[in-house]
């Protein structure tokens, strides 16, 4: 299992929290931080509740950029030299936090299972998602013919989340 990238994927749980979580996954993507070093929302209309929650939770964040949708507000930022995304509902509640990781940051059992089952693939995306359900890992592996997104089942195994053939 080889190179690393950035990206994210969804979850199929039911209910309002799951819908928010799916929106988090659908909108998680490449970072565009620019040179901004403040918590300012620039031209994006971020509610004062969301801004207060963000500033309280991520005091040391830099290079902050915002995106607001009908379902949530998303802050992309750098903290402790890591690219992080935080997702808030419009009431200011923190819904989820994602960060890009490398394969050595996965639990050992997930590393081993990935290496054993997908040793002839390379990693194109790998994120860690933390929310009220705990921590979930999503990895996209590819070879010349296919692209497979896997979701961690706890800390011991992977399940196929999405699979597509390359053309």
């Amino acid at each position: 299992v080889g190179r690393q990238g950035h990206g994210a994927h969804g979850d199929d749980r039911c209910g309002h929290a799951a819908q928010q979580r799916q929106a988090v996954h659908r909108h998680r993507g490449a970072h565009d931080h620019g040179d901004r070093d403040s918590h300012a929302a620039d031209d994006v209309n971020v509610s004062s509740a969301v801004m207060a929650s963000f500033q309280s939770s991520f005091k040391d964040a830099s290079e902050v950029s915002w995106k607001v949708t009908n379902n949530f507000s998303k802050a992309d930022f750098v903290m402790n030299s890591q690219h992080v995304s935080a997702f808030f509902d419009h009431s200011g509640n923190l819904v989820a936090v994602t960060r890009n990781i490398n394969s050595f940051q996965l639990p050992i059992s997930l590393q081993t299972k990935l290496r054993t089952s997908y040793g002839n693939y390379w990693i194109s995306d790998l994120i860690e998602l933390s929310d009220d359900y705990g921590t979930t890992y999503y990895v996209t592996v590819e070879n010349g013919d296919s692209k497979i997104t896997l979701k961690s089942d706890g800390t011991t195994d992977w399940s196929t989340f999405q699979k597509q053939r390359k053309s």
Side-chain angles (χ1 to χ4, degrees):
V1 180
R3 66 183 173 84
Q4 309 283 331
H6 304 285
H9 308 283
D11 193 352
D12 57 357
R13 295 183 185 162
C14 299
H16 181 67
Q19 288 172 348
Q20 287 178 331
R21 190 173 190 191
Q22 286 176 342
V24 165
H25 296 291
R26 282 194 303 272
H27 289 87
R28 172 76 171 81
H31 299 283
D32 176 21
H33 299 294
D35 293 321
R36 292 164 280 193
D37 287 321
S38 70
H39 297 161
D42 294 333
D43 295 337
V44 179
N45 186 19
V46 178
S47 75
S48 58
V50 169
M51 190 61 72
S53 180
F54 176 80
Q55 290 172 343
S56 172
S57 298
F58 304 102
K59 292 178 180 83
D60 297 328
S62 64
E63 301 179 37
V64 181
S65 65
W66 287 93
K67 179 178 181 181
V68 177
T69 70
N70 290 336
N71 298 318
F72 62 86
S73 296
K74 172 188 171 190
D76 287 318
F77 55 97
V78 173
M79 193 162 105
N80 300 325
S81 301
Q82 294 183 90
H83 291 278
V84 180
S85 295
F87 299 82
F88 298 86
D89 65 20
H90 293 303
S91 299
N93 299 307
L94 183 61
V95 176
V97 176
T98 63
R99 67 182 179 136
N100 299 308
I101 63 171
N102 67 52
S103 59
F104 298 112
Q105 292 173 291
L106 286 169
I108 297 295
S109 54
L110 288 176
Q111 288 180 39
T112 302
K113 188 72 170 185
L114 193 60
R115 195 174 310 111
T116 302
S117 301
Y118 297 93
N120 59 336
Y121 289 73
W122 66 86
I123 295 174
S124 59
D125 296 318
L126 178 55
I127 66 155
E128 175 186 80
L129 181 138
S130 300
D131 64 9
D132 289 342
Y133 299 103
T135 301
T136 305
Y137 301 94
Y138 290 88
V139 62
T140 300
V141 294
E142 299 184 48
N143 66 14
D145 300 320
S146 61
K147 182 176 184 177
I148 305 168
T149 300
L150 305 169
K151 176 186 169 201
S152 64
D153 291 332
T155 59
T156 59
D157 207 356
W158 296 98
S159 62
T160 301
F161 181 76
Q162 185 177 30
K163 190 173 188 176
Q164 67 185 68
R165 287 206 80 48
K166 293 182 177 180
S167 45

